[in-house]
Amino acid sequence: MRGTLRPAPAPVRTATGADAEALYALSAPFMRSGALRPRTVADYRRPGEHFLVVPGAGPDGGLDGCVALRALPPEPGHPAAGLLHNFCVREGRQGAGLGSRLLAALLAEAARCGLRTLVTASTGDGALFLRGGFREIPVALAPRGWAAGLDPSRGSRVFALTLPEG
Protein backbone atom coordinates (compact mmCIF):
# COMPACT_ATOMS: atom_id res chain seq x y z
CA MET A 1 0.00 0.00 0.00
CA ARG A 2 1.33 3.41 -0.89
CA GLY A 3 1.76 6.02 1.81
CA THR A 4 -0.05 9.29 1.54
CA LEU A 5 1.94 12.39 0.86
CA ARG A 6 2.09 14.71 3.81
CA PRO A 7 2.51 18.41 3.30
CA ALA A 8 5.84 19.83 4.37
CA PRO A 9 5.75 21.15 7.94
CA ALA A 10 5.15 24.87 8.22
CA PRO A 11 8.45 26.70 8.62
CA VAL A 12 9.40 28.53 11.77
CA ARG A 13 9.35 32.25 11.04
CA THR A 14 9.84 35.53 12.87
CA ALA A 15 6.58 37.04 14.12
CA THR A 16 5.52 40.52 13.07
CA GLY A 17 3.26 43.05 14.78
CA ALA A 18 0.41 41.62 12.71
CA ASP A 19 0.77 38.35 14.66
CA ALA A 20 0.01 39.92 18.06
CA GLU A 21 -3.62 38.79 18.23
CA ALA A 22 -2.75 35.28 17.03
CA LEU A 23 0.06 35.09 19.62
CA TYR A 24 -2.38 36.14 22.31
CA ALA A 25 -4.99 33.58 21.14
CA LEU A 26 -2.38 30.78 21.11
CA SER A 27 -1.06 31.77 24.56
CA ALA A 28 -4.45 32.39 26.24
CA PRO A 29 -5.13 28.74 27.25
CA PHE A 30 -1.66 28.57 28.82
CA MET A 31 -2.29 31.82 30.69
CA ARG A 32 -5.62 30.48 31.98
CA SER A 33 -3.92 27.29 33.20
CA GLY A 34 -1.21 29.28 35.00
CA ALA A 35 1.58 27.92 32.80
CA LEU A 36 2.15 31.43 31.40
CA ARG A 37 1.87 34.74 33.17
CA PRO A 38 -1.07 36.89 32.08
CA ARG A 39 -0.36 39.20 29.15
CA THR A 40 -2.39 41.45 26.88
CA VAL A 41 -2.43 41.68 23.09
CA ALA A 42 -0.37 44.87 23.46
CA ASP A 43 2.33 42.90 25.30
CA TYR A 44 2.83 40.84 22.14
CA ARG A 45 3.66 44.03 20.22
CA ARG A 46 6.24 45.25 22.75
CA PRO A 47 9.67 46.17 21.36
CA GLY A 48 12.48 43.90 22.46
CA GLU A 49 10.31 40.78 22.34
CA HIS A 50 11.50 38.58 19.48
CA PHE A 51 8.92 35.87 18.77
CA LEU A 52 9.38 32.88 16.54
CA VAL A 53 6.19 31.19 15.37
CA VAL A 54 4.92 28.16 13.50
CA PRO A 55 1.90 29.10 11.38
CA GLY A 56 -1.18 26.95 11.94
CA ALA A 57 -1.90 23.99 9.74
CA GLY A 58 -5.65 24.64 9.88
CA PRO A 59 -7.79 27.08 7.94
CA ASP A 60 -8.25 29.49 10.89
CA GLY A 61 -5.00 31.32 10.12
CA GLY A 62 -3.83 30.97 13.72
CA LEU A 63 -0.52 29.81 15.04
CA ASP A 64 0.43 26.31 16.14
CA GLY A 65 3.41 27.33 18.27
CA CYS A 66 5.54 30.19 19.51
CA VAL A 67 8.57 31.02 21.62
CA ALA A 68 10.11 34.36 22.54
CA LEU A 69 13.68 35.52 23.02
CA ARG A 70 14.67 38.64 24.91
CA ALA A 71 18.20 39.80 25.62
CA LEU A 72 18.78 40.46 29.32
CA PRO A 73 20.85 43.39 30.55
CA PRO A 74 24.45 42.32 31.21
CA GLU A 75 25.26 41.45 34.82
CA PRO A 76 28.51 40.37 36.42
CA GLY A 77 28.81 36.64 35.87
CA HIS A 78 26.02 36.68 33.25
CA PRO A 79 27.29 38.54 30.19
CA ALA A 80 25.23 38.30 27.00
CA ALA A 81 22.39 36.32 28.58
CA GLY A 82 18.98 35.86 26.99
CA LEU A 83 15.58 34.82 28.24
CA LEU A 84 13.54 32.12 26.51
CA HIS A 85 9.87 32.61 27.40
CA ASN A 86 6.25 32.30 26.27
CA PHE A 87 6.98 28.86 24.82
CA CYS A 88 3.77 27.12 23.83
CA VAL A 89 2.36 24.70 21.28
CA ARG A 90 -1.35 24.50 20.52
CA GLU A 91 -3.19 21.57 22.11
CA GLY A 92 -3.67 18.90 19.50
CA ARG A 93 -0.32 19.77 17.89
CA GLN A 94 1.81 18.86 20.91
CA GLY A 95 4.01 15.81 20.44
CA ALA A 96 4.44 16.49 16.71
CA GLY A 97 7.94 17.96 17.01
CA LEU A 98 6.90 21.62 16.85
CA GLY A 99 8.45 22.41 20.23
CA SER A 100 11.76 20.88 19.17
CA ARG A 101 11.71 22.86 15.91
CA LEU A 102 10.93 26.09 17.75
CA LEU A 103 13.68 25.44 20.29
CA ALA A 104 16.26 24.71 17.56
CA ALA A 105 15.30 27.91 15.73
CA LEU A 106 15.50 29.93 18.94
CA LEU A 107 18.95 28.53 19.79
CA ALA A 108 20.19 29.48 16.31
CA GLU A 109 18.73 32.98 16.71
CA ALA A 110 20.32 33.38 20.14
CA ALA A 111 23.71 32.42 18.71
CA ARG A 112 23.26 34.89 15.82
CA CYS A 113 22.50 37.59 18.40
CA GLY A 114 25.76 36.84 20.23
CA LEU A 115 24.08 35.52 23.37
CA ARG A 116 26.22 33.20 25.47
CA THR A 117 23.67 31.89 27.95
CA LEU A 118 19.93 31.29 27.86
CA VAL A 119 17.70 31.01 30.91
CA THR A 120 14.09 30.04 31.24
CA ALA A 121 11.60 29.02 33.90
CA SER A 122 8.87 26.42 33.65
CA THR A 123 6.01 25.36 35.86
CA GLY A 124 6.16 22.00 34.06
CA ASP A 125 8.73 19.23 34.15
CA GLY A 126 11.10 20.94 31.70
CA ALA A 127 11.60 17.75 29.70
CA LEU A 128 11.93 19.59 26.38
CA PHE A 129 14.55 21.92 27.86
CA LEU A 130 16.51 19.01 29.32
CA ARG A 131 16.41 17.20 25.95
CA GLY A 132 17.61 20.44 24.34
CA GLY A 133 20.74 20.58 26.52
CA PHE A 134 19.52 22.87 29.29
CA ARG A 135 20.24 21.97 32.89
CA GLU A 136 18.20 22.81 35.93
CA ILE A 137 19.88 25.40 38.14
CA PRO A 138 19.09 27.00 41.50
CA VAL A 139 17.39 30.38 41.16
CA ALA A 140 20.41 31.93 42.92
CA LEU A 141 22.58 31.10 39.88
CA ALA A 142 20.28 32.84 37.38
CA PRO A 143 20.73 36.50 36.36
CA ARG A 144 19.54 38.48 39.39
CA GLY A 145 17.53 41.10 37.52
CA TRP A 146 15.43 38.41 35.87
CA ALA A 147 15.27 36.02 38.83
CA ALA A 148 13.97 38.83 41.08
CA GLY A 149 10.78 38.86 38.99
CA LEU A 150 10.03 35.17 39.48
CA ASP A 151 6.96 34.47 41.59
CA PRO A 152 7.90 31.75 44.12
CA SER A 153 4.24 30.77 44.51
CA ARG A 154 4.21 29.47 40.91
CA GLY A 155 6.75 26.76 41.75
CA SER A 156 8.82 27.40 38.63
CA ARG A 157 11.94 25.43 37.87
CA VAL A 158 14.84 27.40 36.37
CA PHE A 159 16.89 26.07 33.46
CA ALA A 160 20.03 27.40 31.78
CA LEU A 161 22.01 26.61 28.66
CA THR A 162 25.49 27.81 27.75
CA LEU A 163 25.69 28.32 24.00
CA PRO A 164 28.80 27.23 22.11
CA GLU A 165 31.12 30.02 21.06
CA GLY A 166 30.67 30.80 17.41
Side-chain angles (χ1 to χ4, degrees):
M1 176 176 235
R2 292 185 167 204
T4 52
L5 292 176
R6 292 184 182 198
V12 175
R13 67 170 175 80
T14 299
T16 67
D19 291 310
E21 292 200 25
L23 282 164
Y24 178 82
L26 172 63
S27 302
F30 298 91
M31 288 185 270
R32 284 191 297 273
S33 75
L36 291 179
R37 289 183 176 190
R39 301 181 88 176
T40 67
V41 173
D43 291 329
Y44 289 98
R45 291 189 183 102
R46 195 177 337 165
E49 300 287 331
H50 183 86
F51 276 90
L52 299 175
V53 298
V54 175
D60 69 354
L63 300 172
D64 279 349
C66 69
V67 65
L69 175 65
R70 179 170 31 113
L72 296 172
E75 294 181 15
H78 297 285
L83 172 64
L84 178 159
H85 68 101
N86 207 111
F87 195 176
C88 50
V89 174
R90 178 187 305 273
E91 187 176 342
R93 297 289 288 141
Q94 296 170 3
L98 296 180
S100 294
R101 286 181 33 224
L102 281 163
L103 182 58
L106 183 118
L107 294 177
E109 182 65 20
R112 275 192 296 278
C113 292
L115 298 175
R116 299 293 303 126
T117 304
L118 288 178
V119 294
T120 192
S122 176
T123 58
D125 65 8
L128 179 64
F129 299 123
L130 294 169
R131 282 194 309 271
F134 284 74
R135 61 185 170 76
E136 188 169 1
I137 63 169
V139 174
L141 296 181
R144 285 187 198 152
W146 169 71
L150 291 174
D151 178 357
S153 70
R154 297 186 72 218
S156 297
R157 296 170 64 190
V158 175
F159 299 89
L161 174 70
T162 301
L163 297 169
E165 290 193 42

